[in-house]
Amino acid sequence: MQSHHGEHDMAQAGQESQRCEAIIVGGGMVGAALAALLGEAGVAVTLLDARPTLLDAERVGRGRPARRVSALTPVSQRLLEGMGAWEWMRQRRVTPYRHMQVWDAEGSGEVAFSADQAGVPVLGHIVENDVVLAALEARLVALPSVTLGLSARVAGLNETPDGREVVLEDGRRLSAPLVVAADGARSPLRTLAGIEVSARDTGHVAVVTTVRNARPHGGVARQVFLPGGPLAFLPLTVEDDDRYCSIVWSTAPEEAERLTGLSAQALGEALGAAFAHRLGEVEVVDGAMAVPLTQRHAECYTQRGFALVGDAAHTIHPLAGQGVNLGLMDAAVLAEEVLAGRRRGLAIGEAGVLGRYARRRRGDNAAMLALMDGFRLLFGTSNPALTLARNLGMSGVDRLTPVKRLLMRQAIGHRGRLPASCR
């Protein structure tokens, strides 16, 4: 395992448990953000990840964009700004969008949102996941209280009198008052903790790729509801060329298999036709990958000395691009509650402290999961009455300013009591 701070060297084997204040398992965007938030406050954090190396910061955000992107809300942007990561990201590649267009391929319903209507400079930014993660890693390496443990695979999780112990595959043990699972949708740590998950297959697989269109995107995020599922063209600007888009096409598994098997030219033609050629001819510039979409929600977020964040706690249909924003909000709220408790002299993994985190986050995440599910069901139907209702509904929303404002507040992340780091 690599450690970048000698005083926390974890290289020695042996059965004695090494102690720190918090252990975070999973060094993706949410785990890295949580480690940075705690590390900045001087908490001795060990971040464990199975990857052998950090991202190559020199190559990230250069050349052709990565296929996996996120739509970061202004609230997530403020969090990343406060952590000193946003400026690094901005110097690499972030694409702001000031407008959103959503329409129904089956009828005339259309809704348009703009940043001006929402009273914000931008509705959000499309950012490659690697750009976010590399910026957070650069931050972590500079924090003396954070230890990075790479090539670390967790084999066991034990309760201790004052917290939890993590057992690694190579036999080493680490213990802390708080262990956080940030290890993704199929979280092994969540399984080890015995936390049940309610999972429902959405019936969709996301086809993800990058395209270059004949016409510029104009800083507009576009989404069309097709009979088989939603198709999004998310704006990307690559070296001042604003004709790129990241594609997320949610569709039936067999259709996803057909689409990913097409030649680049045939896929470009299929995308152009499905999108009514709103941006002209479509050239596919990367391979297409298929990502199965399962909506999951953990039955509980916390146990004594243990918490779930991000995809380990919830996964959501990418319909509104909210996934990573919900995870970053988990990290911000958990850090806020832990640090508030610590200032009052409470143990980091104390049940009351973690309970407050769970209460603040589980309801918000559940509401967003339900909202996305409702959208998915409404737009996944070919029932003529529902098709008519949804077209009337979309046109109605486009005219009803208060309803639109409410939906836009959801989209830009203004829900519930925001942590201080996001205000």
Side-chain angles (χ1 to χ4, degrees):
M1 182 184 293
Q2 300 175 10
S3 163
H4 65 264
H5 301 304
E7 68 269 27
H8 299 298
D9 192 16
M10 298 167 59
Q12 82 233 24
Q15 291 313 298
E16 193 178 325
S17 211
Q18 288 183 291
R19 288 196 60 74
C20 59
E21 281 189 272
I23 298 165
I24 300 167
V25 179
M29 293 183 281
V30 175
L34 179 61
L37 286 164
L38 294 176
E40 281 171 354
V43 177
V45 182
T46 298
L47 178 63
L48 302 175
D49 196 83
R51 290 179 299 148
T53 57
L54 298 179
L55 291 173
D56 181 350
E58 287 306 305
R59 298 178 62 181
V60 169
R62 309 266 194 235
R64 188 171 70 190
R67 283 177 296 195
R68 301 300 293 266
V69 304
S70 293
L72 295 178
T73 64
V75 170
S76 293
Q77 177 185 347
R78 283 202 291 278
L79 177 67
L80 291 160
E81 279 171 350
M83 293 160 67
W86 187 262
E87 186 52 34
W88 192 98
M89 292 161 57
R90 205 179 58 74
Q91 288 172 9
R92 291 307 165 100
R93 189 156 53 213
V94 301
T95 305
Y97 58 95
R98 301 192 68 253
H99 303 273
M100 285 169 69
Q101 289 175 0
V102 181
W103 70 96
D104 190 345
E106 297 271 275
S108 58
E110 182 155 343
V111 187
F113 299 109
S114 78
D116 289 344
Q117 288 172 325
V120 289
V122 295
L123 290 175
H125 289 80
I126 305 299
V127 189
E128 295 149 73
N129 292 358
D130 283 357
V131 170
V132 181
L133 185 54
L136 289 168
E137 287 179 350
R139 192 72 202 91
L140 290 174
V141 170
L143 290 170
S145 62
V146 177
T147 302
L148 293 178
L150 300 173
S151 298
R153 295 182 183 278
V154 174
L157 177 70
N158 302 319
E159 287 201 50
T160 63
D162 58 352
R164 298 279 173 143
E165 179 186 61
V166 169
V167 183
L168 301 181
E169 277 185 359
D170 61 10
R172 274 167 313 146
R173 297 167 179 271
L174 296 92
S175 60
L178 175 62
V179 170
V180 180
D183 52 347
R186 297 179 180 278
S187 168
L189 215 58
R190 183 184 67 212
T191 305
L192 287 169
I195 293 179
E196 294 291 322
V197 128
S198 57
R200 226 193 32 263
D201 184 4
T202 62
H204 277 166
V205 171
V207 175
V208 179
T209 189
T210 309
V211 302
R212 191 162 171 261
N213 305 296
R215 293 201 284 274
H217 53 64
V220 182
R222 295 171 172 88
Q223 182 159 276
V224 56
F225 285 99
L226 299 160
L231 163 62
F233 274 56
L234 304 173
L236 285 173
T237 300
V238 180
E239 285 151 11
D240 296 330
D241 184 345
D242 61 354
R243 288 174 293 173
Y244 284 84
C245 281
S246 179
I247 298 296
V248 184
W249 191 346
S250 306
T251 189
E254 56 278 10
E255 177 63 1
E257 194 176 337
R258 185 186 77 80
L259 290 168
T260 50
L262 294 176
S263 67
Q265 185 178 345
L267 180 57
E269 286 166 4
L271 283 163
F275 210 63
H277 294 100
R278 287 208 177 192
L279 294 174
E281 296 299 303
V282 177
E283 177 197 357
V284 175
V285 297
D286 202 345
M289 63 193 249
V291 184
L293 301 176
T294 301
Q295 200 144 290
R296 297 180 184 83
H297 206 190
E299 300 290 353
C300 65
Y301 281 17
T302 59
Q303 295 174 342
R304 191 179 70 83
F306 184 76
L308 304 174
V309 293
D311 285 356
H314 46 80
T315 57
I316 190 168
H317 196 291
L319 192 66
Q322 287 297 323
V324 75
N325 296 295
L326 296 180
L328 289 172
M329 202 53 50
D330 293 346
V333 171
L334 180 56
E336 184 168 85
E337 291 297 349
V338 160
L339 296 173
R342 191 170 177 252
R343 284 193 296 275
R344 296 201 306 273
L346 298 173
I348 273 188
E350 208 260 330
V353 170
L354 299 183
R356 273 191 293 280
Y357 154 68
R359 282 193 296 279
R360 284 178 66 184
R361 291 304 303 144
R362 200 172 186 285
D364 182 43
N365 291 333
M368 188 50 92
L369 284 158
L371 183 66
M372 289 307 98
D373 220 39
F375 267 122
R376 184 182 65 75
L377 294 170
L378 179 62
F379 285 96
T381 181
S382 51
N383 177 316
L386 281 175
T387 303
L388 176 64
R390 117 191 135 198
N391 270 289
L392 290 170
M394 287 178 95
S395 303
V397 164
D398 203 44
R399 290 191 297 272
L400 278 174
T401 310
V403 178
K404 241 172 113 161
R405 201 163 283 142
L406 177 70
L407 286 170
M408 281 192 287
R409 285 184 74 77
Q410 293 280 334
I412 62 179
H414 285 287
R415 290 188 307 280
R417 178 160 68 94
L418 290 180
S421 54
C422 303
R423 285 183 215 137

